[in-house]
Amino acid sequence: MRLFSSVLAMLGALVVVLTACGSSGGSARIEDGKTVLRYQGWTGEVEFHELAEELGYFKNVKLEWVGNTTSGPQDIQSVATGDIDFGSAFNGAVVKLNAAGAPITSVLSSYGADEDEYTGYYVLENSPIRSARDLIGKKVGMNTLGAHHEFLTREWLAKEGLTNDEIKTVTLTVVPPVNTEQALRDGQIDVAALNEIYRESALQRGGIRPLFTDKSLFGAFSYGTYVVRDDFLAENRDAVADFVQGTARAIRWTQVTPREEVVAKFGEIINKRHRNEDTKAIEYWRSSGVPVAGGVIADRELQTWIDWLVRNGELKEGQLKAEDLYTNELNPYANGTYPDGSGPDGKALAHK
């Protein structure tokens, strides 16, 4: 597991060097009586906080897009260095950044797997690969290392009985998402991690089958969280609370609103923001992927990856506890504002 050790060491160096000279510290800019929250986006996608602003769910904050991110780990590193005010990443990456000394706290779940949204690890239909043991000496293509796809691949291999030495023979290869399906079909990789538009379009073309999915591994599960810096939370608690409640309501809106209406709203948002992007990806949107009303965080969603890192020698036993890495205090679906688990529209959670 040398890769994780080196990643953790680099994160530690990054945090030590850059948190001292972060661009904003705990201060926030105020415009027109509202706290400005800086963030990074994703091309062709609408994030829950962007939806919240469009739906008018924020009272005391306004968003400022500063550019697009390249990955979840990069996004939350930018939070740690003070370049943005909030970000989102896979919880394993959140745990690693905490372990490296980053002063961050998770405040809301940001993505996950449910009946309709998940990441699948696909092989060609005629591939001889049928089990984890068949992956020994093979290549798995994914969008980035040190995040969701890598953790899930290694966890599946371990659960299927492979030893650490056997797992090390499986080559994890970074492939841009737009090229991953073709790399699989051309034989450049043996397994392709696919989700959202890349999964749906590949399945439409046929000729592939899932080896496993994150849904089959953990069931309905939230895999990522929004994080903020601790000093920013301390100095701007009301603003962060407004961000959390509004974003939680937006998550809830996607959970109870017909898919066609959600996709139409996403299209409106993309067209209005003029970022030179198209709406093709959102046509493949299936669900929020967040299986809990309003994105309430559960202990196991962070503890799972703490335990994983302990087993693999990346953390010491007891070094981190999930309960110390997140708070649900600001989420109206956890703090009693919406005690029945329904949103402000009164509808019950229903996956489509």
Side-chain angles (χ1 to χ4, degrees):
M1 298 299 170
R2 247 183 299 177
L3 173 62
F4 284 114
S5 296
S6 61
V7 168
L8 203 57
M10 286 188 291
L11 283 174
L14 179 74
V15 170
V16 169
V17 172
L18 295 180
T19 52
C21 57
S23 60
S24 68
S27 302
R29 192 169 83 251
I30 305 297
E31 287 186 3
D32 301 323
K34 294 186 176 182
T35 302
V36 178
L37 300 182
R38 300 163 300 154
Y39 76 99
Q40 297 178 123
W42 293 85
T43 300
E45 297 183 16
V46 175
E47 303 305 303
F48 293 123
H49 48 276
E50 294 174 315
L51 174 63
E53 186 166 61
E54 175 68 17
L55 294 174
Y57 288 166
F58 295 140
K59 301 175 183 177
N60 305 315
V61 303
K62 60 187 298 186
L63 303 181
E64 180 181 291
W65 173 72
V66 300
N68 288 325
T69 186
T70 56
S71 71
Q74 186 277 330
D75 200 34
I76 61 173
Q77 286 169 33
S78 294
V79 175
T81 57
D83 294 310
I84 57 176
D85 300 315
F86 68 88
S88 164
F90 169 62
N91 283 330
V94 171
V95 169
K96 286 197 293 183
L97 197 56
N98 269 285
I104 58 172
T105 295
S106 295
V107 294
L108 187 71
S109 289
S110 58
Y111 80 94
D114 60 16
E115 290 299 325
D116 296 313
E117 185 49 58
Y118 56 90
T119 294
Y121 297 77
Y122 292 89
V123 298
L124 295 177
E125 190 67 52
N126 59 359
S127 170
I129 297 174
R130 298 279 174 180
S131 69
R133 191 151 297 279
D134 295 331
L135 274 187
I136 294 176
K138 299 297 192 297
K139 292 183 179 180
V140 181
M142 56 191 61
N143 69 326
T144 189
L145 298 180
H148 184 129
H149 293 162
E150 178 173 358
F151 271 68
L152 268 291
T153 299
R154 293 186 182 278
E155 180 70 1
W156 182 72
L157 293 172
K159 283 184 177 292
E160 291 296 303
L162 269 64
T163 66
N164 283 342
D165 286 341
E166 289 172 332
I167 292 173
K168 289 176 183 177
T169 72
V170 180
T171 301
L172 305 181
T173 304
V174 175
V175 185
V178 70
N179 299 328
T180 306
E181 177 193 349
Q182 195 58 49
L184 175 66
R185 296 188 188 276
D186 289 345
Q188 298 171 6
I189 56 177
D190 302 289
V191 182
L194 301 170
N195 60 8
E196 298 177 339
I197 183 175
Y198 307 108
R199 180 194 65 235
E200 295 301 311
S201 57
L203 289 173
Q204 286 179 1
R205 282 183 279 272
I208 64 172
R209 57 179 170 80
L211 182 62
F212 71 101
T213 68
D214 53 14
K215 173 70 163 53
S216 70
L217 190 57
F218 287 109
F221 198 82
S222 291
Y223 283 105
T225 48
Y226 285 101
V227 304
V228 297
R229 281 174 59 109
D230 292 343
D231 59 350
F232 190 88
L233 175 58
E235 293 189 27
N236 306 278
R237 188 176 179 84
D238 289 345
V240 176
D242 190 42
F243 166 78
V244 171
Q245 69 81 26
T247 305
R249 289 175 64 191
I251 291 173
R252 185 63 180 159
W253 186 84
T254 66
Q255 291 172 328
V256 300
T257 301
R259 175 189 172 278
E260 294 75 16
E261 188 176 337
V262 175
V263 171
K265 180 59 69 176
F266 285 171
E268 291 177 15
I269 294 171
I270 289 175
N271 289 329
K272 285 170 62 175
R273 66 193 186 192
H274 303 299
R275 296 183 192 169
N276 192 29
E277 56 194 335
D278 62 39
T279 58
K280 183 178 180 180
I282 62 170
E283 295 173 6
Y284 291 87
W285 187 88
R286 294 292 176 264
S287 76
S288 70
V290 179
V292 179
V296 176
I297 302 170
D299 252 33
R300 71 184 188 113
E301 294 159 359
L302 288 158
Q303 192 64 47
T304 294
W305 309 113
I306 293 174
D307 295 342
W308 195 100
L309 289 166
V310 169
R311 289 198 308 270
N312 287 280
E314 302 300 318
L315 292 179
K316 296 179 182 179
E317 185 75 41
Q319 181 178 343
L320 293 178
K321 296 180 181 178
E323 63 190 35
D324 298 329
L325 306 186
Y326 77 94
T327 179
N328 280 320
E329 291 179 4
L330 306 179
N331 192 324
Y333 297 89
N335 69 14
T337 306
Y338 303 131
D340 63 351
S342 67
D345 52 15
K347 297 178 181 178
L349 179 61
H351 293 300
K352 297 164 284 300

